[in-house]
Amino acid sequence: MFADHATIFIRSGKGGDGHVSFRRELFVAAGGPDGGDGGKGGDVIFQVESGMNTLGDFRHKRKYSAGDGEEGGKRKMHGKSGEDLVIRVPEGTIIRDKASGKVIADMSGENRRVTVLTGGKGGVGNMHFATSTMQVPKYAKPGQPAKELTVDLELKVIADVGLVGFPSVGKSSLITACSNARPEIAAYPFTTLTPVLGVVDFGDGQGFVMADIPGVIEGASEGIGLGIDFLRHVERCKLLLHVVDVAGTDGRDPMDDIRVIDTELQKFSEELAKKPQILVLNKIDSLQAEEGEEDPVEKIRKAYETDERPVFLISAVTHEGIRELLQYVMKRLSEMPREITTYPAEFEYEYDKGADLPFTVEKTAEGEFKVEGPRIEKMLGYTNLDSEKGFQFFQQFIVKSGIQKQLEDLGIEEGDTVRMYGHSFEFYR
Ligand SMILES: Nc1nc2c(ncn2[C@@H]2O[C@H](COP(=O)(O)OP(=O)(O)O)[C@@H](O)[C@H]2O)c(=O)[nH]1
Ligand SMILES: [Mg+2]
């Protein structure tokens, strides 16, 4: 089946560690430090690939990692940088942080190439640590850790005009008749499984993009069948062409069809239902006036036509009426703002600088616990526990770092004591 969403795991490259080494020269027992810097980790970059129109590739591969930076070397050798990873996506893909649902980037409009995770910086080598008092530094800075994120990808195609309607009403035939798109056309439902975009060219750089999406079936907005997955594609369209089989092929009742599609759009979203719409009555070439029955076109006009939703008669087979329809569409579009709906970025990667440093949590006596390690030392070093803000930060740290969970696993109770580097706290949830 067509994929218009996917969940993947992305990871930028770790920075290479700084190197520890010393110059070795003839007749010199121990030269100065000459350990070089680590290379930078690779970035994870998303890039729009024209012509790509599904997220299908992401179903087979779910993990994406950029290259790690290499460690620095002897003789001040700089470590090699890790390779950037470029992930290609169709235009209109929205990248979200899975945990929070926040938008990281909407790959549409100006956003053709976006760096989502930057690689870790390389650590500096021991050559930078020599001072007059420390001439043989045996330490270098480790590279920054990799950044990792699970992201949801969602494709909402970008088109000015979207076709909606039941399967087999002639949507694919219409887009074929008026654009460069060549979707499958068949007498049975569900032939169109991927959204197809076509350019309707009016010459002189004038024109618009039309999207053919799979037919909406009854109950689509409740997730029955395929329909609902596809309705989201027309959310960004400026105008909907609601295509109807006015000839009532295979016993369809066009009056019923219009009512059902209207309710499905309404149920999907208020916004979709309110989008400017044109009722396109297709297959007028095979319309047969039944003896004694009211003309279906007249019936539809009476029941559904309004100033906001005009009715057009066409035949996607004989092309009758298509010119007039397209000219009207152009006119309506020209009255609308040019921009497409894009989603602003709202997510920023929170980089926990000490996350790679270790700590330990232990029970030292009945009702007494001790937490220590470089990660705690570092945090206490930059946190002022006497200020309200500082203390709030400290409390969040205890939860976020997993310390609280570990204390609870060790059976801590309210009122117990927790010691950290000379501070002692009473534990409350
Ligand atoms: N007579 C007639 N048949 C049409 C017309 N448009 C489409 N069809 C036929 O209706 C069937 C479904 O068409 P298709 O474009 O695949 O419908 P979709 O499912 O809405 O994309 C095909 O057999 C088409 O040949 C039309 O204007 N007149
Ligand atoms: Mg189709």
Side-chain angles (χ1 to χ4, degrees):
M1 204 196 115
F2 166 70
D4 57 3
H5 43 248
T7 300
I8 59 170
F9 171 84
I10 54 175
R11 178 186 174 278
S12 66
K14 178 190 170 320
D17 294 339
H19 189 68
V20 177
S21 59
F22 298 93
R23 243 182 351 254
R24 278 162 158 263
E25 284 160 25
L26 280 178
F27 313 118
V28 180
D34 72 348
D37 303 343
K40 181 187 165 299
D43 299 338
V44 177
I45 298 162
F46 281 78
Q47 186 171 311
V48 169
E49 174 87 354
S50 335
M52 197 172 165
N53 63 354
T54 89
L55 295 170
D57 289 358
F58 299 99
R59 266 184 302 159
H60 310 296
K61 188 171 177 234
R62 295 185 192 268
K63 282 194 172 169
Y64 294 83
S65 302
D68 290 337
E70 284 178 14
E71 194 186 336
K74 283 185 252 195
R75 287 182 225 104
K76 306 190 176 179
M77 277 267 284
H78 205 282
K80 238 176 93 182
S81 293
E83 249 185 78
D84 292 343
L85 177 74
V86 178
I87 301 177
R88 285 163 214 283
V89 291
E91 178 163 22
T93 301
I94 296 163
I95 307 162
R96 285 195 170 83
D97 168 43
K98 184 172 174 60
S100 64
K102 286 184 177 170
V103 173
I104 300 172
D106 178 353
M107 302 301 290
S108 56
E110 309 273 276
N111 281 348
R112 310 288 302 178
R113 190 178 162 95
V114 176
T115 301
V116 169
L117 292 181
T118 49
K121 275 192 200 140
V124 293
N126 73 334
M127 65 180 191
H128 301 282
F129 289 102
T131 61
S132 55
T133 51
M134 170 48 75
Q135 290 176 7
V136 282
K138 294 201 181 72
Y139 40 76
K141 228 175 156 184
Q144 280 180 353
K147 294 176 189 151
E148 301 178 338
L149 206 59
T150 301
V151 294
D152 281 328
L153 306 180
E154 185 193 4
L155 177 60
K156 287 186 203 273
V157 299
I158 317 248
D160 303 297
V161 175
L163 303 180
V164 294
F166 273 94
S168 301
V169 296
K171 299 179 298 302
S172 299
S173 304
L174 172 58
I175 202 171
T176 301
C178 65
S179 82
N180 58 342
R182 292 293 170 264
E184 229 184 292
I185 295 170
Y188 47 87
F190 304 127
T191 42
T192 310
L193 285 181
T194 59
V196 172
L197 298 185
V199 178
V200 180
D201 192 356
F202 270 65
D204 295 334
Q206 294 249 72
F208 57 87
V209 178
M210 188 184 268
D212 176 22
I213 66 159
V216 173
I217 48 171
E218 201 162 352
S221 59
E222 279 127 45
I224 302 166
L226 298 163
I228 182 131
D229 284 342
F230 302 118
L231 273 181
R232 74 173 108 220
H233 287 300
V234 290
E235 277 188 286
R236 295 215 236 214
C237 294
K238 295 173 190 158
L239 186 64
L240 300 182
L241 298 191
H242 178 161
V243 185
V244 181
D245 179 346
V246 76
T249 317
D250 296 332
R252 299 216 73 98
D253 177 353
M255 288 287 286
D256 261 0
D257 285 0
I258 297 173
R259 185 179 47 77
V260 173
I261 295 292
D262 279 352
T263 7
E264 288 300 315
L265 293 177
Q266 184 73 46
K267 279 195 270 179
F268 184 84
S269 86
E270 192 77 29
E271 223 177 303
L272 204 54
K274 276 196 303 216
K275 256 192 215 294
Q277 216 188 80
I278 299 171
L279 269 179
V280 178
L281 309 188
N282 186 33
K283 308 197 186 180
I284 50 164
D285 58 286
S286 67
L287 196 55
Q288 280 150 16
E290 299 263 336
E291 197 69 32
E293 272 197 25
E294 195 184 348
D295 174 14
V297 174
E298 275 320 303
K299 247 164 100 176
I300 290 170
R301 279 194 196 276
K302 259 195 233 154
Y304 293 108
E305 186 166 38
T306 62
D307 285 347
E308 287 79 52
R309 182 158 77 164
V311 166
F312 278 80
L313 306 184
I314 66 157
S315 164
V317 165
T318 67
H319 294 196
E320 190 184 340
I322 289 186
R323 245 200 109 64
E324 291 78 3
L325 170 67
L326 296 180
Q327 269 160 358
Y328 179 75
V329 169
M330 271 301 271
K331 185 176 147 285
R332 284 289 291 272
L333 288 176
S334 70
E335 295 158 4
M336 294 177 188
R338 276 206 73 80
E339 319 83 65
I340 49 155
T341 316
T342 54
Y343 298 79
E346 44 189 17
F347 174 84
E348 220 172 292
Y349 192 88
E350 251 181 66
Y351 181 47
D352 184 351
K353 291 185 187 83
D356 50 335
L357 296 171
F359 64 85
T360 54
V361 179
E362 50 186 334
K363 184 169 181 171
T364 46
E366 205 43 56
E368 286 197 21
F369 298 80
K370 189 167 84 181
V371 184
E372 62 184 10
R375 181 145 181 215
I376 312 303
E377 251 187 301
K378 190 163 181 186
M379 179 273 301
L380 289 172
Y382 60 73
T383 308
N384 176 11
L385 293 175
D386 297 330
S387 79
E388 195 183 324
K389 250 196 157 161
F391 197 72
Q392 241 174 28
F393 172 81
F394 169 76
Q395 287 176 315
Q396 284 165 1
F397 174 84
I398 297 296
V399 176
K400 263 205 205 154
S401 58
I403 291 174
Q404 170 144 339
K405 167 129 198 340
Q406 289 194 33
L407 286 167
E408 282 174 353
D409 289 347
L410 290 172
I412 197 166
E413 284 176 16
E414 298 219 343
D416 286 356
T417 306
V418 181
R419 290 184 210 287
M420 300 182 195
Y421 293 96
H423 299 274
S424 84
F425 305 94
E426 246 177 83
F427 179 77
Y428 286 104
R429 276 192 185 85

